[in-house]
Amino acid sequence: MKANFILFFGIISQVFAVQSCGAQNSRIVTEGAELRLVADGYDFTEGPAADKNGDVFFTDQPNDHIIKYDVEADSVSVFMEGAGRSNGLYFDDENNLIACADEEFQLIKISPNKDIEVLVDDFEGKKLNGPNDLWIAEDGGIYLTDPYYQRPYWDRTSPDLESQNVYYLAPGAKSLITVAKDLVQPNGIIGTLDGKTLYVADIGDKKTYSYTIATDGSLSEKTLFVEMGSDGMTLDNQGNLYITGDGVTVFDKNGKQIKHIAVNENWTANVTFGGKNGQTLFITAMDALYSLKMNVKGVRW
């Protein structure tokens, strides 16, 4: 999460050419595809997540809005105002939007009717640092990162917790358990469809790790995946990992860089797959939402 920027609203048809490293031969991007500016004019975009229709929801956290991009209509609208300063988003199997809402240091569930249920609001009686990003496993278990970023809308100026951890909320559980705590500042998080591997970006240490997920949801076998941190992350159906920050950098399952997608913004915050058949990459960057047609698709399609 970075600083606020100028607020105005609109959809712009401007496009930017996709640039990639000259030595790379990856064909994950549709031939001739261009990076499209879908919408801009927000303060800071984050947390893109696609529902079952392929529509993409993302946050404008400084304005406390969740925005919906309707793929078929090619239009954006405010889905919710007063969304707990939501940051990272993810849909569960019942089309509820699970959100990291750091205004009150909570994990919340937003129903299709916009009813809000607080799933978690503390860890062992202490306020969380500020839930940032999450991933939901096929069995409904939720993994979330909890870095500390001082917000201007908080009264507090220091964290209640001593460390910045990764937590797990088991299906049906009411309390979090710590599954990774030896990180500087965990941020982006994403897991594989088979539920066996979890990737966690330690943006504070400029590294991304992989973990093995046990049947009880615990993590083991922490392994350095790449010497690069990330804000948000996603995976495609070939097992490639998409890391954000300076544009979008793509690594194959062995940690080899296969693509760099340049984005003409100072910071790329997050990324997800959506659209028809999950074959469009959506990127939140500064005040905007971008899209790019792909040959690969998201793991849920």
Side-chain angles (χ1 to χ4, degrees), residues 115-228:
D115 297 321
I116 295 178
E117 176 186 347
V118 177
L119 299 178
V120 173
D121 62 2
D122 72 274
F123 177 68
E124 297 181 348
K126 295 182 178 181
K127 292 180 179 179
L128 293 165
N129 293 318
N132 186 276
D133 207 355
L134 75 152
W135 173 71
I136 304 178
E138 284 294 293
D139 65 359
I142 302 172
Y143 293 86
L144 69 144
T145 56
D146 187 43
Y148 188 86
Y149 294 101
Q150 183 64 47
R151 305 299 194 192
Y153 42 82
W154 289 347
D155 292 331
R156 69 174 183 176
T157 57
S158 61
D160 289 7
L161 298 169
E162 294 181 0
S163 58
Q164 302 180 49
N165 301 329
V166 178
Y167 296 103
Y168 175 65
L169 184 67
K174 300 297 183 182
S175 300
L176 297 170
I177 61 172
T178 305
V179 288
K181 58 183 179 180
D182 53 345
L183 299 162
V184 177
Q185 196 170 41
N187 195 309
I189 189 167
I190 194 74
T192 55
L193 185 61
D194 62 11
K196 295 180 179 180
T197 303
L198 184 73
Y199 294 96
V200 177
D202 188 349
I203 197 170
D205 200 28
K206 299 179 181 179
K207 293 178 174 64
T208 296
Y209 297 95
S210 66
Y211 293 84
T212 297
I213 303 174
T215 54
D216 65 356
S218 61
L219 304 179
S220 64
E221 299 180 40
K222 177 184 177 183
T223 304
L224 179 64
F225 184 70
V226 291
E227 292 271 2
M228 184 183 293

Side-chain angles (χ1 to χ4, degrees), residues 260-282:
H260 179 259
I261 301 167
V263 179
N264 190 27
E265 300 283 1
N266 291 333
W267 184 256
T268 300
N270 215 326
V271 64
T272 196
F273 282 89
K276 186 177 180 180
N277 300 320
Q279 208 162 334
T280 301
L281 188 69
F282 288 89

Side-chain angles (χ1 to χ4, degrees), residues 61 83-88 98-108 120 130-132 153-154:
Q61 192 185 39
R85 301 281 185 176
S86 290
N87 186 28
I98 312 302
C100 292
D102 76 10
E103 182 174 36
E104 299 293 338
F105 326 107
Q106 297 171 332
L107 183 70
I108 64 174
V120 173
N132 186 276
Y153 42 82
W154 289 347

